[in-house]
Amino acid sequence: MAQTKLSFKVGGNLKKIYVGLGEKVKKGQLIAELDNKDYDLQLQTVQAGLKTAKLGIDESKTRMEQANAAYEQAKAQVEQAQTGVMNAKVQYDTISKKYERVSKMYEDGTASLNDYEGVKMSRDSAKLALNSALTSLEQAKTGVKNAQVVIEQAKVGYAAAEAQVGTVNKNVEMATNQVDYSKLYSPDDGYVAVKNAEENENIGAGMPVVILTTGNNYEVKIFVPEVLVSKLSIGQTAM
């Protein structure tokens, strides 16, 4: 025979005790429960917090996707700008060579003033176009750098949101355990030997509520009048 002290892992008001003194109980049977309104409310609160934290992850994920899309767009703009610079440079080099040739001919008197001024104007326009293309390229490169910064910020936000979900998940687990701990179950078959608490009593964590006797051999203490003691023998059947 063994004795098992049953107690709650959390404290609270004893809402109900389902067994009586000397009653036989089965393993897994509900023995008693606390009023778990506060624990239930705490669980609902952290569960709501978990939903909010998960929304934070979704929002962070969306920001990351948007940042990546902006980065890819910025890279495409850089490639476009590089092509623009290349074309503008080819155009400028070509018109510059023509300008040099016409300028020399103008000095030699073999080209008119109109020819010279026309090719000079074309060269100046090509120079402006090249400078504009170079400016666009620098702006596009700046756009890529800015997009990279936004991506890093989005990654940090996502990591923070994940960490928040992890923390709240632990809080939910703890709150769920507290709700579960508000119910006391029998760990084995046995009999209620002692009841240490009554309903509506405040119970502290670890305070024995009932004591069970478990096992196959039971010890029973009875009172026997002194005049009958001499008539008792070992193994005698008790009626």
Side-chain angles (χ1 to χ4, degrees), residues 164-232:
Q164 179 67 13
V165 168
T167 299
V168 178
N169 261 325
K170 290 180 181 178
N171 291 339
V172 169
E173 183 179 351
M174 290 173 60
T176 301
N177 286 340
Q178 286 182 320
V179 170
D180 292 341
Y181 293 156
S182 68
K183 289 182 172 19
L184 186 62
Y185 296 92
S186 175
D188 208 342
D189 295 342
Y191 290 87
V192 178
V194 179
K195 283 179 63 178
N196 289 328
E198 298 296 334
E199 292 177 2
N200 298 318
E201 183 179 344
N202 284 324
I203 303 297
M207 173 181 171
V209 176
V210 300
I211 299 176
L212 299 182
T213 54
T214 58
N216 295 323
N217 297 319
Y218 297 96
E219 181 180 315
V220 178
K221 292 183 179 180
I222 62 173
F223 174 77
V224 179
E226 188 175 347
V227 295
L228 298 178
V229 171
S230 62
K231 297 180 180 181
L232 299 178

Side-chain angles (χ1 to χ4, degrees), residues 34 36 42 60 66 138 172 179 216:
L34 300 174
N36 65 359
Q42 184 179 4
S60 296
Q66 291 173 340
E138 288 306 312
V172 169
V179 170
N216 295 323

Side-chain angles (χ1 to χ4, degrees), residues 16 52 61 84 87 113 115 150 158 168 178 184 210 217 238:
K16 186 73 176 176
T52 301
K61 187 176 180 181
N87 292 337
L113 178 61
D115 291 338
V150 173
Y158 186 79
V168 178
Q178 286 182 320
L184 186 62
V210 300
N217 297 319

Side-chain angles (χ1 to χ4, degrees), residues 4-6 26-29 31 185-189 212 214:
T4 304
K5 296 179 180 180
L6 303 187
K26 294 288 186 182
K27 181 178 180 180
Q29 181 177 335
I31 301 297
Y185 296 92
S186 175
D188 208 342
D189 295 342
L212 299 182
T214 58

Side-chain angles (χ1 to χ4, degrees), residues 48-74:
L50 181 59
K51 288 182 180 178
T52 301
K54 286 183 176 179
L55 284 176
I57 277 193
D58 292 339
E59 291 172 358
S60 296
K61 187 176 180 181
T62 298
R63 284 195 290 269
M64 282 186 64
E65 290 171 350
Q66 291 173 340
N68 282 322
Y71 174 70
E72 293 301 324
Q73 185 178 3

Side-chain angles (χ1 to χ4, degrees), residues 103-185:
S103 179
K104 187 175 181 181
M105 290 172 63
Y106 175 70
E107 290 175 359
D108 293 342
T110 56
S112 66
L113 178 61
N114 286 339
D115 291 338
Y116 171 75
E117 288 180 344
V119 75
K120 183 177 181 300
M121 186 178 296
S122 297
R123 188 199 64 167
D124 291 343
S125 296
K127 178 65 174 176
L128 288 174
L130 177 57
N131 288 339
S132 178
L134 287 169
T135 299
S136 296
L137 177 58
E138 288 306 312
Q139 289 175 342
K141 287 180 177 179
T142 299
V144 168
K145 291 179 181 177
N146 291 340
Q148 287 174 326
V149 170
V150 173
I151 286 175
E152 291 306 313
Q153 290 174 340
K155 286 180 178 178
V156 171
Y158 186 79
E162 278 192 323
Q164 179 67 13
V165 168
T167 299
V168 178
N169 261 325
K170 290 180 181 178
N171 291 339
V172 169
E173 183 179 351
M174 290 173 60
T176 301
N177 286 340
Q178 286 182 320
V179 170
D180 292 341
Y181 293 156
S182 68
K183 289 182 172 19
L184 186 62
Y185 296 92

